[in-house]
Amino acid sequence: MLRGALPLALAAVLAEGDRHGYALVQELAARGFGAVRGGALYPVLGRMEADGAVEARWEPGEGGPGRKVYRLTGEGRARLRQEAASWGQFSQAMAQLLAHSGEAPGGEGPGVEETP
């Protein structure tokens, strides 16, 4: 599920300020997304850059190699607002579906019975 939500999560973090890849990984982990590997992160950032949602610049490293810092563009902010609204609708629909099935966290109901 994270793979599908990763662009939205990255845009939300970048809306708070510019960050390099490792700082993005740390922030996502701190917010409960678990460990996001570079093999998932950098292709998504590359697609977001190609789509005009983010811009990247190189900054010199402090005693080490330089690093790429990502910034959310105006187009990226507009997309974030639109996708956040869509996510809210999706989340509500899924919560209702799960509540109806009795499988929502804390939900009660018949659930799905296994057949022998």
Side-chain angles (χ1 to χ4, degrees):
M1 281 191 285
L2 177 59
R3 187 168 293 174
L6 190 54
L8 179 59
L10 288 170
V13 171
L14 288 170
E16 298 171 353
D18 302 358
R19 288 187 172 76
H20 55 84
Y22 183 69
L24 286 166
V25 167
Q26 287 180 315
E27 187 64 31
L28 289 172
R31 295 196 185 196
F33 284 86
V36 177
R37 298 188 188 278
L41 176 74
Y42 292 107
V44 171
L45 286 169
R47 284 191 297 276
M48 291 174 75
E49 188 175 4
D51 292 343
V54 299
E55 292 177 344
R57 69 180 185 280
W58 281 98
E59 287 189 353
E62 297 174 17
R67 54 189 178 184
K68 211 172 192 181
V69 175
Y70 297 90
R71 181 183 77 79
L72 195 64
T73 64
E75 184 176 332
R77 287 182 190 282
R79 231 181 268 171
L80 173 59
R81 283 190 296 275
Q82 180 183 26
E83 290 179 17
S86 294
W87 184 266
Q89 292 169 352
F90 170 79
S91 176
Q92 258 185 341
M94 182 61 79
Q96 289 173 354
L97 178 64
L98 292 174
H100 180 70
S101 73
E103 298 301 324
E108 295 182 19
V112 177
E113 294 182 24
E114 291 184 28
T115 55

